[in-house]
Amino acid sequence: MVPYLTLQAQDCNCEDSFKKTVDVYEKDYSLFIYKVTDENRDLYTAHTDIMRTKAMQTDNLQDCKTILVQWLDFFRDGHTYLKISTSIDLDIEKIPISEKEFKSSYKRNEYKQNPLLGIWQYKGYEVAIIPNPKNKNQTRDFVGLVINSSNEDWNQGDVKFELTSDFGSNYKSTFMMGDHTPKTVKAYQLSESKLSFENLNEWTKIWPKTSSEVSESEIVEKFGQFHFTEIDGIPYLRFPDFYSVDELHVDSIMKANHEKLLASEFIIVDIRENGGGNDVTYYPLLPYILSGPIQIPNTGLWMSDGNIKKFFESSDLKGKSIDEYTAEERELYDYVMSLKGTAFFEDPNYFYEYEPDTIYTSPMKVILLSTEAGSSGETFVYRANQSDKVVVYGQNTAGVVDGFNGLSTDIGCFTLTYPSSFRAKDVNENPIDPYGIAPDVYVDEDVDVLAYSIQHMKQLIKNVNSKK
C-alpha cells in the first residue's frame, strides 16, 4: 500500500512551506551568496517562479516534497535535507516478519527457486524480499521488508520497496525513501547477488550465499562496516563512514596492528561511498599515512539573523532577556550581533598547519580508494592527498563539503536542514562542490579498483626502486 498523504489545511500548506524554504535559503544558507550571482540570478528567479506556481497548485504531501526538492536542486548541495515532520501521521505498511521466520519460510516454501528472494543489504538496511502475500490486494509481485535497520525511522516489518515484474529480471518499483515517502523507479537484478534501483542505490544479497559469492572474501562481506583485514599480507582498512565507530576504536585497531602496518611496503585505506561523519574518527590513521605537516583551511560561519538566533538558542543565553545578561554575556551578545550579515572567520589566516606528534616512515606508500566519498570523506581525501605517500584511486568524491554544519528549521509539514558554515575562505574561487576531488588515478566503475590499485602500486614501487 503506497501512502497517499493529503495536505490538511489546518496543518500544512505547500505554498507556505515553499515560501519558508526560499526565505531560509536566501537568508541563512551559507553558500547562497556564491550559488546565486548577478550572472545567474535571472535563471534562479525563473526557476523559483515555476516551482512557486507548482507549490500553489498542490494539496498532496508527496508532490509538495517533490516540488521543494526540485527547487533545492538548483543549489546542488548534498548537505541539504528535507524530511517530513514527525507530527505527520504516515500510513506506513507493515508486514510482520523476523529474520528467523523468514529463513524458516524460505526453506519451507522452496524460495531458492527464485534468486530474487532472500536477504539483501544496502548500508544500514537489511531487507527480506518475499512474494507478495496472498492476503494483500496490491498489484505487485514482490515486497522488500525491513528486518534490520540502523535508521531509527525504520522498524522491522516496514515495507522498503515493492517490485512488479516488467521483463526478465527488470522490475517496476516503488521505493520508500528514508522518510517513508515513495519514489517510482526502475529496478534491475544485475546478477544473483546485485539488485540495482535506478539512480538510487545498489543492494547486495547476503543470504543465502549465491554461487558467485561463495568464494568472495571478507572485503565484500564486510564492505558496509568498519574493519581491518589483510589481502595477501597487505593491511586493508575499510571506512564505510566516519560515524559508526569512534576515534578510540580506530586507535585501538591501529595499535593492535602497529607492527603489521610498519612492516608493509604499502597499505590500503578504502573510503568508497563514505558519507562522512566526524573528522576526528580518522585522526589515529594519520601518523601512518602522512609524510609531513598538512594545511587545513580555517572554517567560517554565515552570520545571518536566523543563524545567530539558533546560536543563542543553543548557548547558555537561551531563555534570558538582554536585561538579564551579565556584563560578560552582554559583551558576547554585542560582538556576535556586530558580525550580522558577514562571512565570519575567527582566524584571519587561510589555513592552520597540522602535524601528528609522530609520523612513521613506513609504510612507504598508501593506496586510498575513493569513489563518491562525501563530507568528512572529502576532507579526509583533501588532507591525506597532501602526503607524498598517498595515491588516490577510483573516481571523484561526491562534492558535498563546501557548506556544512547543518542547521534545521521547521517549514510547516517538513524539517529543512541547510549548511550554515564555509569549508574555507576560497570556496567561491576553488570549490569542491559539486564535482568533487578527482583521484590521482582514475579507474572506471566497471574495473575492479581494488585489484587494479594493488597491481598498479606494486609496479609503481618497482619502478621507483629501479631508479635508485
PDB file of all heavy atoms in Angstrom, residues 385-419:
ATOM      1  N   ASN A 385      45.770  13.503   0.739  1.00  0.00           N
ATOM      2  CA  ASN A 385      46.429  13.644  -0.553  1.00  0.00           C
ATOM      3  C   ASN A 385      47.563  14.662  -0.536  1.00  0.00           C
ATOM      4  O   ASN A 385      48.297  14.793  -1.518  1.00  0.00           O
ATOM      5  CB  ASN A 385      45.413  14.022  -1.631  1.00  0.00           C
ATOM      6  CG  ASN A 385      45.793  13.468  -2.989  1.00  0.00           C
ATOM      7  OD1 ASN A 385      46.580  12.537  -3.099  1.00  0.00           O
ATOM      8  ND2 ASN A 385      45.221  14.038  -4.037  1.00  0.00           N
ATOM      9  N   GLN A 386      47.722  15.361   0.579  1.00  0.00           N
ATOM     10  CA  GLN A 386      48.884  16.238   0.724  1.00  0.00           C
ATOM     11  C   GLN A 386      50.142  15.452   1.088  1.00  0.00           C
ATOM     12  O   GLN A 386      51.245  15.997   1.109  1.00  0.00           O
ATOM     13  CB  GLN A 386      48.613  17.308   1.785  1.00  0.00           C
ATOM     14  CG  GLN A 386      47.499  18.276   1.416  1.00  0.00           C
ATOM     15  CD  GLN A 386      47.256  19.319   2.495  1.00  0.00           C
ATOM     16  OE1 GLN A 386      48.186  19.964   2.985  1.00  0.00           O
ATOM     17  NE2 GLN A 386      46.001  19.483   2.876  1.00  0.00           N
ATOM     18  N   SER A 387      49.968  14.179   1.377  1.00  0.00           N
ATOM     19  CA  SER A 387      51.096  13.316   1.732  1.00  0.00           C
ATOM     20  C   SER A 387      51.752  12.748   0.483  1.00  0.00           C
ATOM     21  O   SER A 387      51.070  12.326  -0.454  1.00  0.00           O
ATOM     22  CB  SER A 387      50.607  12.174   2.627  1.00  0.00           C
ATOM     23  OG  SER A 387      51.614  11.199   2.792  1.00  0.00           O
ATOM     24  N   ASP A 388      53.064  12.706   0.483  1.00  0.00           N
ATOM     25  CA  ASP A 388      53.804  12.107  -0.634  1.00  0.00           C
ATOM     26  C   ASP A 388      53.571  10.605  -0.718  1.00  0.00           C
ATOM     27  O   ASP A 388      53.823   9.990  -1.754  1.00  0.00           O
ATOM     28  CB  ASP A 388      55.304  12.376  -0.480  1.00  0.00           C
ATOM     29  CG  ASP A 388      55.644  13.858  -0.571  1.00  0.00           C
ATOM     30  OD1 ASP A 388      54.869  14.604  -1.196  1.00  0.00           O
ATOM     31  OD2 ASP A 388      56.684  14.264   0.004  1.00  0.00           O
ATOM     32  N   LYS A 389      53.083  10.018   0.369  1.00  0.00           N
ATOM     33  CA  LYS A 389      52.856   8.570   0.388  1.00  0.00           C
ATOM     34  C   LYS A 389      51.590   8.158  -0.362  1.00  0.00           C
ATOM     35  O   LYS A 389      51.492   7.052  -0.881  1.00  0.00           O
ATOM     36  CB  LYS A 389      52.706   8.080   1.835  1.00  0.00           C
ATOM     37  CG  LYS A 389      53.934   8.151   2.709  1.00  0.00           C
ATOM     38  CD  LYS A 389      53.563   7.549   4.067  1.00  0.00           C
ATOM     39  CE  LYS A 389      54.721   7.472   5.019  1.00  0.00           C
ATOM     40  NZ  LYS A 389      54.327   6.787   6.272  1.00  0.00           N
ATOM     41  N   VAL A 390      50.605   9.016  -0.375  1.00  0.00           N
ATOM     42  CA  VAL A 390      49.247   8.631  -0.766  1.00  0.00           C
ATOM     43  C   VAL A 390      49.028   8.736  -2.271  1.00  0.00           C
ATOM     44  O   VAL A 390      49.381   9.742  -2.900  1.00  0.00           O
ATOM     45  CB  VAL A 390      48.213   9.493  -0.017  1.00  0.00           C
ATOM     46  CG1 VAL A 390      46.807   9.222  -0.537  1.00  0.00           C
ATOM     47  CG2 VAL A 390      48.297   9.223   1.479  1.00  0.00           C
ATOM     48  N   VAL A 391      48.430   7.694  -2.828  1.00  0.00           N
ATOM     49  CA  VAL A 391      47.939   7.722  -4.209  1.00  0.00           C
ATOM     50  C   VAL A 391      46.448   7.388  -4.158  1.00  0.00           C
ATOM     51  O   VAL A 391      46.052   6.348  -3.617  1.00  0.00           O
ATOM     52  CB  VAL A 391      48.664   6.700  -5.107  1.00  0.00           C
ATOM     53  CG1 VAL A 391      48.109   6.763  -6.526  1.00  0.00           C
ATOM     54  CG2 VAL A 391      50.169   6.953  -5.111  1.00  0.00           C
ATOM     55  N   VAL A 392      45.611   8.291  -4.700  1.00  0.00           N
ATOM     56  CA  VAL A 392      44.157   8.112  -4.671  1.00  0.00           C
ATOM     57  C   VAL A 392      43.702   7.444  -5.960  1.00  0.00           C
ATOM     58  O   VAL A 392      44.012   7.899  -7.060  1.00  0.00           O
ATOM     59  CB  VAL A 392      43.440   9.465  -4.501  1.00  0.00           C
ATOM     60  CG1 VAL A 392      41.930   9.252  -4.414  1.00  0.00           C
ATOM     61  CG2 VAL A 392      43.949  10.193  -3.261  1.00  0.00           C
ATOM     62  N   TYR A 393      42.954   6.345  -5.812  1.00  0.00           N
ATOM     63  CA  TYR A 393      42.431   5.590  -6.948  1.00  0.00           C
ATOM     64  C   TYR A 393      40.901   5.610  -6.927  1.00  0.00           C
ATOM     65  O   TYR A 393      40.292   5.623  -5.852  1.00  0.00           O
ATOM     66  CB  TYR A 393      42.873   4.119  -6.871  1.00  0.00           C
ATOM     67  CG  TYR A 393      44.354   3.873  -6.987  1.00  0.00           C
ATOM     68  CD1 TYR A 393      45.185   3.999  -5.875  1.00  0.00           C
ATOM     69  CD2 TYR A 393      44.929   3.488  -8.203  1.00  0.00           C
ATOM     70  CE1 TYR A 393      46.550   3.746  -5.974  1.00  0.00           C
ATOM     71  CE2 TYR A 393      46.288   3.229  -8.310  1.00  0.00           C
ATOM     72  CZ  TYR A 393      47.096   3.362  -7.190  1.00  0.00           C
ATOM     73  OH  TYR A 393      48.447   3.120  -7.290  1.00  0.00           O
ATOM     74  N   GLY A 394      40.309   5.574  -8.099  1.00  0.00           N
ATOM     75  CA  GLY A 394      38.856   5.477  -8.165  1.00  0.00           C
ATOM     76  C   GLY A 394      38.249   6.566  -9.016  1.00  0.00           C
ATOM     77  O   GLY A 394      38.690   6.818 -10.142  1.00  0.00           O
ATOM     78  N   GLN A 395      37.252   7.243  -8.455  1.00  0.00           N
ATOM     79  CA  GLN A 395      36.548   8.304  -9.162  1.00  0.00           C
ATOM     80  C   GLN A 395      36.389   9.506  -8.235  1.00  0.00           C
ATOM     81  O   GLN A 395      36.816   9.470  -7.084  1.00  0.00           O
ATOM     82  CB  GLN A 395      35.190   7.788  -9.634  1.00  0.00           C
ATOM     83  CG  GLN A 395      35.301   6.635 -10.638  1.00  0.00           C
ATOM     84  CD  GLN A 395      34.019   5.878 -10.798  1.00  0.00           C
ATOM     85  OE1 GLN A 395      32.961   6.475 -10.920  1.00  0.00           O
ATOM     86  NE2 GLN A 395      34.102   4.556 -10.792  1.00  0.00           N
ATOM     87  N   ASN A 396      35.777  10.553  -8.738  1.00  0.00           N
ATOM     88  CA  ASN A 396      35.648  11.788  -7.963  1.00  0.00           C
ATOM     89  C   ASN A 396      34.878  11.571  -6.661  1.00  0.00           C
ATOM     90  O   ASN A 396      34.016  10.702  -6.568  1.00  0.00           O
ATOM     91  CB  ASN A 396      34.928  12.855  -8.780  1.00  0.00           C
ATOM     92  CG  ASN A 396      35.815  13.456  -9.859  1.00  0.00           C
ATOM     93  OD1 ASN A 396      36.706  12.803 -10.378  1.00  0.00           O
ATOM     94  ND2 ASN A 396      35.567  14.704 -10.202  1.00  0.00           N
ATOM     95  N   THR A 397      35.220  12.392  -5.678  1.00  0.00           N
ATOM     96  CA  THR A 397      34.421  12.407  -4.452  1.00  0.00           C
ATOM     97  C   THR A 397      33.059  13.023  -4.770  1.00  0.00           C
ATOM     98  O   THR A 397      32.813  13.505  -5.878  1.00  0.00           O
ATOM     99  CB  THR A 397      35.114  13.222  -3.351  1.00  0.00           C
ATOM    100  OG1 THR A 397      35.284  14.581  -3.794  1.00  0.00           O
ATOM    101  CG2 THR A 397      36.481  12.636  -2.999  1.00  0.00           C
ATOM    102  N   ALA A 398      32.158  13.029  -3.788  1.00  0.00           N
ATOM    103  CA  ALA A 398      30.765  13.417  -4.036  1.00  0.00           C
ATOM    104  C   ALA A 398      30.574  14.913  -4.280  1.00  0.00           C
ATOM    105  O   ALA A 398      29.600  15.323  -4.914  1.00  0.00           O
ATOM    106  CB  ALA A 398      29.894  12.971  -2.865  1.00  0.00           C
ATOM    107  N   GLY A 399      31.470  15.746  -3.767  1.00  0.00           N
ATOM    108  CA  GLY A 399      31.309  17.190  -3.943  1.00  0.00           C
ATOM    109  C   GLY A 399      30.229  17.778  -3.082  1.00  0.00           C
ATOM    110  O   GLY A 399      29.339  18.488  -3.570  1.00  0.00           O
ATOM    111  N   VAL A 400      30.297  17.496  -1.757  1.00  0.00           N
ATOM    112  CA  VAL A 400      29.272  17.994  -0.830  1.00  0.00           C
ATOM    113  C   VAL A 400      29.914  18.494   0.460  1.00  0.00           C
ATOM    114  O   VAL A 400      29.455  18.180   1.554  1.00  0.00           O
ATOM    115  CB  VAL A 400      28.215  16.910  -0.497  1.00  0.00           C
ATOM    116  CG1 VAL A 400      27.413  16.563  -1.724  1.00  0.00           C
ATOM    117  CG2 VAL A 400      28.860  15.640   0.069  1.00  0.00           C
ATOM    118  N   VAL A 401      30.947  19.329   0.331  1.00  0.00           N
ATOM    119  CA  VAL A 401      31.683  19.700   1.537  1.00  0.00           C
ATOM    120  C   VAL A 401      31.913  21.197   1.693  1.00  0.00           C
ATOM    121  O   VAL A 401      32.308  21.657   2.766  1.00  0.00           O
ATOM    122  CB  VAL A 401      33.048  18.952   1.567  1.00  0.00           C
ATOM    123  CG1 VAL A 401      34.016  19.551   0.557  1.00  0.00           C
ATOM    124  CG2 VAL A 401      33.655  18.909   2.958  1.00  0.00           C
ATOM    125  N   ASP A 402      31.649  22.008   0.674  1.00  0.00           N
ATOM    126  CA  ASP A 402      31.927  23.446   0.779  1.00  0.00           C
ATOM    127  C   ASP A 402      31.069  24.129   1.836  1.00  0.00           C
ATOM    128  O   ASP A 402      31.498  25.079   2.487  1.00  0.00           O
ATOM    129  CB  ASP A 402      31.734  24.132  -0.578  1.00  0.00           C
ATOM    130  CG  ASP A 402      32.867  23.814  -1.542  1.00  0.00           C
ATOM    131  OD1 ASP A 402      33.949  23.424  -1.071  1.00  0.00           O
ATOM    132  OD2 ASP A 402      32.673  23.950  -2.767  1.00  0.00           O
ATOM    133  N   GLY A 403      29.836  23.682   1.976  1.00  0.00           N
ATOM    134  CA  GLY A 403      28.968  24.163   3.044  1.00  0.00           C
ATOM    135  C   GLY A 403      28.676  23.011   3.987  1.00  0.00           C
ATOM    136  O   GLY A 403      28.433  21.890   3.542  1.00  0.00           O
ATOM    137  N   PHE A 404      28.720  23.256   5.300  1.00  0.00           N
ATOM    138  CA  PHE A 404      28.475  22.172   6.254  1.00  0.00           C
ATOM    139  C   PHE A 404      27.895  22.746   7.539  1.00  0.00           C
ATOM    140  O   PHE A 404      27.432  23.873   7.572  1.00  0.00           O
ATOM    141  CB  PHE A 404      29.773  21.387   6.519  1.00  0.00           C
ATOM    142  CG  PHE A 404      30.833  22.177   7.249  1.00  0.00           C
ATOM    143  CD1 PHE A 404      31.068  21.958   8.597  1.00  0.00           C
ATOM    144  CD2 PHE A 404      31.592  23.141   6.595  1.00  0.00           C
ATOM    145  CE1 PHE A 404      32.032  22.685   9.282  1.00  0.00           C
ATOM    146  CE2 PHE A 404      32.562  23.866   7.266  1.00  0.00           C
ATOM    147  CZ  PHE A 404      32.776  23.648   8.614  1.00  0.00           C
ATOM    148  N   ASN A 405      27.935  21.959   8.631  1.00  0.00           N
ATOM    149  CA  ASN A 405      27.292  22.328   9.899  1.00  0.00           C
ATOM    150  C   ASN A 405      25.813  22.652   9.660  1.00  0.00           C
ATOM    151  O   ASN A 405      25.373  23.791   9.727  1.00  0.00           O
ATOM    152  CB  ASN A 405      27.982  23.532  10.557  1.00  0.00           C
ATOM    153  CG  ASN A 405      29.169  23.117  11.397  1.00  0.00           C
ATOM    154  OD1 ASN A 405      29.380  21.941  11.673  1.00  0.00           O
ATOM    155  ND2 ASN A 405      29.965  24.085  11.813  1.00  0.00           N
ATOM    156  N   GLY A 406      25.056  21.596   9.382  1.00  0.00           N
ATOM    157  CA  GLY A 406      23.653  21.777   9.062  1.00  0.00           C
ATOM    158  C   GLY A 406      22.818  22.245  10.245  1.00  0.00           C
ATOM    159  O   GLY A 406      22.917  21.698  11.342  1.00  0.00           O
ATOM    160  N   LEU A 407      22.007  23.253  10.015  1.00  0.00           N
ATOM    161  CA  LEU A 407      21.028  23.715  10.996  1.00  0.00           C
ATOM    162  C   LEU A 407      19.641  23.342  10.487  1.00  0.00           C
ATOM    163  O   LEU A 407      19.373  23.412   9.287  1.00  0.00           O
ATOM    164  CB  LEU A 407      21.121  25.227  11.188  1.00  0.00           C
ATOM    165  CG  LEU A 407      22.438  25.773  11.769  1.00  0.00           C
ATOM    166  CD1 LEU A 407      22.367  27.290  11.904  1.00  0.00           C
ATOM    167  CD2 LEU A 407      22.741  25.139  13.115  1.00  0.00           C
ATOM    168  N   SER A 408      18.774  22.949  11.390  1.00  0.00           N
ATOM    169  CA  SER A 408      17.433  22.507  10.994  1.00  0.00           C
ATOM    170  C   SER A 408      16.375  23.516  11.438  1.00  0.00           C
ATOM    171  O   SER A 408      16.500  24.134  12.495  1.00  0.00           O
ATOM    172  CB  SER A 408      17.117  21.139  11.603  1.00  0.00           C
ATOM    173  OG  SER A 408      18.007  20.157  11.093  1.00  0.00           O
ATOM    174  N   THR A 409      15.358  23.651  10.601  1.00  0.00           N
ATOM    175  CA  THR A 409      14.274  24.571  10.919  1.00  0.00           C
ATOM    176  C   THR A 409      12.952  23.997  10.418  1.00  0.00           C
ATOM    177  O   THR A 409      12.923  23.242   9.443  1.00  0.00           O
ATOM    178  CB  THR A 409      14.527  25.956  10.278  1.00  0.00           C
ATOM    179  OG1 THR A 409      13.566  26.896  10.747  1.00  0.00           O
ATOM    180  CG2 THR A 409      14.464  25.895   8.760  1.00  0.00           C
ATOM    181  N   ASP A 410      11.876  24.339  11.089  1.00  0.00           N
ATOM    182  CA  ASP A 410      10.547  23.859  10.728  1.00  0.00           C
ATOM    183  C   ASP A 410       9.968  24.735   9.630  1.00  0.00           C
ATOM    184  O   ASP A 410       9.977  25.968   9.727  1.00  0.00           O
ATOM    185  CB  ASP A 410       9.626  23.886  11.954  1.00  0.00           C
ATOM    186  CG  ASP A 410       8.200  23.499  11.592  1.00  0.00           C
ATOM    187  OD1 ASP A 410       8.017  22.357  11.159  1.00  0.00           O
ATOM    188  OD2 ASP A 410       7.298  24.348  11.738  1.00  0.00           O
ATOM    189  N   ILE A 411       9.469  24.096   8.556  1.00  0.00           N
ATOM    190  CA  ILE A 411       8.844  24.862   7.470  1.00  0.00           C
ATOM    191  C   ILE A 411       7.433  24.331   7.212  1.00  0.00           C
ATOM    192  O   ILE A 411       7.012  24.178   6.070  1.00  0.00           O
ATOM    193  CB  ILE A 411       9.689  24.827   6.187  1.00  0.00           C
ATOM    194  CG1 ILE A 411       9.948  23.376   5.751  1.00  0.00           C
ATOM    195  CG2 ILE A 411      10.983  25.572   6.352  1.00  0.00           C
ATOM    196  CD1 ILE A 411      10.451  23.262   4.330  1.00  0.00           C
ATOM    197  N   GLY A 412       6.722  24.044   8.274  1.00  0.00           N
ATOM    198  CA  GLY A 412       5.351  23.556   8.133  1.00  0.00           C
ATOM    199  C   GLY A 412       5.295  22.061   8.313  1.00  0.00           C
ATOM    200  O   GLY A 412       5.460  21.547   9.413  1.00  0.00           O
ATOM    201  N   CYS A 413       5.075  21.337   7.232  1.00  0.00           N
ATOM    202  CA  CYS A 413       4.992  19.874   7.306  1.00  0.00           C
ATOM    203  C   CYS A 413       6.352  19.212   7.135  1.00  0.00           C
ATOM    204  O   CYS A 413       6.441  17.990   7.089  1.00  0.00           O
ATOM    205  CB  CYS A 413       4.058  19.348   6.228  1.00  0.00           C
ATOM    206  SG  CYS A 413       2.329  19.659   6.610  1.00  0.00           S
ATOM    207  N   PHE A 414       7.393  20.017   7.019  1.00  0.00           N
ATOM    208  CA  PHE A 414       8.725  19.476   6.770  1.00  0.00           C
ATOM    209  C   PHE A 414       9.749  20.095   7.719  1.00  0.00           C
ATOM    210  O   PHE A 414       9.564  21.206   8.219  1.00  0.00           O
ATOM    211  CB  PHE A 414       9.165  19.766   5.331  1.00  0.00           C
ATOM    212  CG  PHE A 414       8.181  19.326   4.290  1.00  0.00           C
ATOM    213  CD1 PHE A 414       7.214  20.201   3.818  1.00  0.00           C
ATOM    214  CD2 PHE A 414       8.207  18.034   3.779  1.00  0.00           C
ATOM    215  CE1 PHE A 414       6.298  19.809   2.858  1.00  0.00           C
ATOM    216  CE2 PHE A 414       7.298  17.632   2.819  1.00  0.00           C
ATOM    217  CZ  PHE A 414       6.340  18.514   2.357  1.00  0.00           C
ATOM    218  N   THR A 415      10.830  19.357   7.908  1.00  0.00           N
ATOM    219  CA  THR A 415      12.006  19.902   8.581  1.00  0.00           C
ATOM    220  C   THR A 415      13.084  20.072   7.524  1.00  0.00           C
ATOM    221  O   THR A 415      13.438  19.119   6.820  1.00  0.00           O
ATOM    222  CB  THR A 415      12.504  18.959   9.685  1.00  0.00           C
ATOM    223  OG1 THR A 415      11.485  18.819  10.677  1.00  0.00           O
ATOM    224  CG2 THR A 415      13.753  19.525  10.347  1.00  0.00           C
ATOM    225  N   LEU A 416      13.587  21.284   7.403  1.00  0.00           N
ATOM    226  CA  LEU A 416      14.595  21.613   6.406  1.00  0.00           C
ATOM    227  C   LEU A 416      15.946  21.784   7.086  1.00  0.00           C
ATOM    228  O   LEU A 416      16.066  22.497   8.078  1.00  0.00           O
ATOM    229  CB  LEU A 416      14.207  22.909   5.690  1.00  0.00           C
ATOM    230  CG  LEU A 416      15.214  23.483   4.677  1.00  0.00           C
ATOM    231  CD1 LEU A 416      15.340  22.555   3.474  1.00  0.00           C
ATOM    232  CD2 LEU A 416      14.773  24.878   4.226  1.00  0.00           C
ATOM    233  N   THR A 417      16.962  21.094   6.583  1.00  0.00           N
ATOM    234  CA  THR A 417      18.319  21.226   7.113  1.00  0.00           C
ATOM    235  C   THR A 417      19.202  21.839   6.032  1.00  0.00           C
ATOM    236  O   THR A 417      19.207  21.369   4.879  1.00  0.00           O
ATOM    237  CB  THR A 417      18.889  19.862   7.540  1.00  0.00           C
ATOM    238  OG1 THR A 417      18.034  19.298   8.536  1.00  0.00           O
ATOM    239  CG2 THR A 417      20.289  20.009   8.118  1.00  0.00           C
ATOM    240  N   TYR A 418      19.928  22.884   6.401  1.00  0.00           N
ATOM    241  CA  TYR A 418      20.730  23.632   5.437  1.00  0.00           C
ATOM    242  C   TYR A 418      22.121  23.914   6.017  1.00  0.00           C
ATOM    243  O   TYR A 418      22.289  24.024   7.228  1.00  0.00           O
ATOM    244  CB  TYR A 418      20.050  24.959   5.096  1.00  0.00           C
ATOM    245  CG  TYR A 418      19.898  25.871   6.300  1.00  0.00           C
ATOM    246  CD1 TYR A 418      20.880  26.819   6.610  1.00  0.00           C
ATOM    247  CD2 TYR A 418      18.805  25.763   7.158  1.00  0.00           C
ATOM    248  CE1 TYR A 418      20.754  27.636   7.728  1.00  0.00           C
ATOM    249  CE2 TYR A 418      18.676  26.572   8.267  1.00  0.00           C
ATOM    250  CZ  TYR A 418      19.660  27.510   8.556  1.00  0.00           C
ATOM    251  OH  TYR A 418      19.549  28.309   9.667  1.00  0.00           O
ATOM    252  N   PRO A 419      23.154  24.027   5.170  1.00  0.00           N
ATOM    253  CA  PRO A 419      24.504  24.344   5.651  1.00  0.00           C
ATOM    254  C   PRO A 419      24.599  25.789   6.117  1.00  0.00           C
ATOM    255  O   PRO A 419      24.080  26.699   5.468  1.00  0.00           O
ATOM    256  CB  PRO A 419      25.384  24.117   4.417  1.00  0.00           C
ATOM    257  CG  PRO A 419      24.577  23.239   3.530  1.00  0.00           C
ATOM    258  CD  PRO A 419      23.151  23.656   3.749  1.00  0.00           C
TER     259      PRO A 419
END
